[in-house]
Amino acid sequence: MPFAELATLLGVSVQTAARRYQRLVRDGVLRCTTFLNPQAVHGLDSWVLQITPKPGRGTALAAALTRHPGISWVNVTAGHVTCLFSARADDDRDDMLIERLPKTSLVQSVSAFQEVHRFPVSTAWPDFTDLLTPAQRGWSERRAHLAAATGHPDGPIALTGTDYALLRVLGTDARASHAAIAAHTGLPRSRVRDRLRELTDAGAVYFDLEVARSALGFSMHVTVTAHIAPRHLQAVGEALSANREIPFVCVTTGRTNIFAVIFCRTAGDYYKLLTGALAGITGLDELEAHTNLQQVQHLRTIGRPGISEGIASGKHKTP
């Protein structure tokens, strides 16, 4: 969204809108990001990894994982490091899951669960619609409708090396202009504009804002897994994603088949959610929840093909 449009909507000057946004980014409160959708990109698999680190090595393991371009977020709990891993080829997947991770000195054990379906959430987190005027809320809803992906008529699309070059620029600055992307990639500006439209219309690429939950007073960050009978799986996933406190829900392989992320302001709020909305979901009879102590890395796009630093390069083979 151009700052001029945002300024008009908020009733402030363009300079004020730009300055405030840049301050939020500089202070680590806000970041505009670019995401790849594994369900819309041919050959892109997404995995939830639950890794048990060697005693006392959890922080070092989490830091090493962030340097791999296929790792899009990393959370640390009392006993595990959980992350989302995306691989663009079988070789990348096997190298990471079979060769690299199990042989790393920081790792005690690895469990990998493939994401097979992701549920769209009903509202973005954090949800600020209560702060908007009716006119602002209507504008936001219209823009969201226009930005909604229509999907590619032939199914998932294949990304090219040129696409990944374009995405590398957006991975650094998701607000980069068409002119800036063209300058970095050597592509004509019109080609950048048209290809980005193709990728977003197909649902392969989408943009979002990351907000530091601590800055908004959300101290409770929980990851939840559950085993749901197949006949209830779709309904349970949809019911979970309808809650404003749950920004991410997916179906995975493994003993448990639902994975979800929950943000609450306090432990008391989490208890109210657990005994209220979640208790009323038919088929959700029991779940396992882990409080995330550290969020080392938020979501990000895949920056480039191949294997990168840290764990991927085997730098941590010795303590």
Side-chain angles (χ1 to χ4, degrees), residues 54-127:
K54 294 286 182 64
R57 308 309 300 273
T59 300
L61 172 62
L65 285 166
T66 64
R67 293 193 289 270
H68 190 287
I71 300 292
S72 57
W73 51 254
V74 182
N75 292 324
V76 181
T77 69
H80 300 95
V81 174
T82 304
C83 61
L84 192 68
F85 168 61
S86 296
R88 290 195 298 274
D90 290 347
D91 289 345
D92 285 349
R93 178 201 63 200
D94 295 348
D95 187 84
M96 182 66 165
L97 301 183
I98 299 175
E99 299 295 332
R100 300 289 182 177
L101 272 177
K103 295 177 181 178
T104 300
S105 64
L106 303 176
V107 172
Q108 183 166 302
S109 64
V110 181
S111 296
F113 311 103
Q114 186 173 2
E115 177 188 332
V116 296
H117 180 73
R118 187 177 300 184
F119 292 94
V121 294
S122 58
T123 57
W125 186 94
D127 182 7

Side-chain angles (χ1 to χ4, degrees), residues 3-307:
F3 285 123
E5 190 174 352
L6 181 62
T8 300
L9 182 68
L10 297 177
V12 299
S13 69
V14 176
Q15 293 80 4
T16 297
R19 184 171 61 248
R20 186 58 182 166
Y21 171 82
Q22 290 160 1
R23 180 178 177 180
L24 291 171
V25 172
R26 186 172 60 252
D27 292 346
V29 176
L30 188 68
R31 187 166 74 99
C32 187
T33 52
T34 311
F35 299 140
L36 282 177
N37 178 4
Q39 297 181 62
V41 177
H42 179 72
L44 183 65
D45 292 331
S46 181
W47 298 74
V48 176
L49 306 184
Q50 189 176 66
I51 308 169
T52 303
K54 294 286 182 64
R57 308 309 300 273
T59 300
L61 172 62
L65 285 166
T66 64
R67 293 193 289 270
H68 190 287
I71 300 292
S72 57
W73 51 254
V74 182
N75 292 324
V76 181
T77 69
H80 300 95
V81 174
T82 304
C83 61
L84 192 68
F85 168 61
S86 296
R88 290 195 298 274
D90 290 347
D91 289 345
D92 285 349
R93 178 201 63 200
D94 295 348
D95 187 84
M96 182 66 165
L97 301 183
I98 299 175
E99 299 295 332
R100 300 289 182 177
L101 272 177
K103 295 177 181 178
T104 300
S105 64
L106 303 176
V107 172
Q108 183 166 302
S109 64
V110 181
S111 296
F113 311 103
Q114 186 173 2
E115 177 188 332
V116 296
H117 180 73
R118 187 177 300 184
F119 292 94
V121 294
S122 58
T123 57
W125 186 94
D127 182 7
F128 294 126
T129 53
D130 292 345
L131 304 178
L132 302 179
T133 65
Q136 292 170 338
R137 190 177 300 118
W139 176 91
S140 178
E141 291 171 352
R142 288 192 300 273
R143 190 174 182 91
H145 175 73
L146 290 173
T150 58
H152 196 279
D154 298 325
I157 65 172
L159 299 185
T160 66
T162 299
D163 292 330
Y164 283 112
L166 183 153
L167 291 170
R168 278 198 295 274
V169 181
L170 290 173
T172 302
D173 178 13
R175 287 187 58 86
S177 65
H178 293 156
I181 297 172
H184 279 85
T185 60
L187 297 171
R189 188 184 306 185
S190 60
R191 179 56 182 155
V192 169
R193 181 194 63 234
D194 294 344
R195 186 54 177 166
L196 271 178
R197 172 54 62 187
E198 291 171 0
L199 293 173
T200 53
D201 284 350
V205 172
Y206 63 101
F207 301 89
D208 206 348
L209 288 175
E210 290 178 359
V211 181
R213 58 185 177 85
S214 58
L216 300 178
F218 286 81
S219 62
M220 196 73 180
H221 178 194
V222 179
T223 53
V224 170
T225 57
H227 175 74
I228 308 297
R231 66 181 180 277
H232 294 305
L233 192 54
Q234 181 67 24
V236 168
E238 291 175 350
L240 287 171
S241 64
N243 290 276
R244 61 193 301 178
E245 300 90 349
I246 305 180
F248 183 85
V249 186
C250 71
V251 177
T252 68
T253 58
R255 185 180 61 83
T256 59
N257 52 12
I258 281 284
F259 179 89
V261 174
I262 298 176
F263 291 133
C264 291
R265 293 189 180 277
T266 66
D269 290 336
Y270 171 70
Y271 178 75
K272 291 177 183 177
L273 175 69
L274 188 65
T275 58
L278 301 194
I281 299 176
T282 301
L284 184 62
D285 297 324
E286 64 178 80
L287 52 82
E288 183 173 338
H290 295 276
T291 301
N292 292 310
L293 305 178
Q294 299 177 19
Q295 187 165 28
V296 181
Q297 179 170 285
H298 296 275
L299 284 164
R300 69 177 181 191
T301 188
I302 296 178
R304 59 183 174 82
I307 299 300

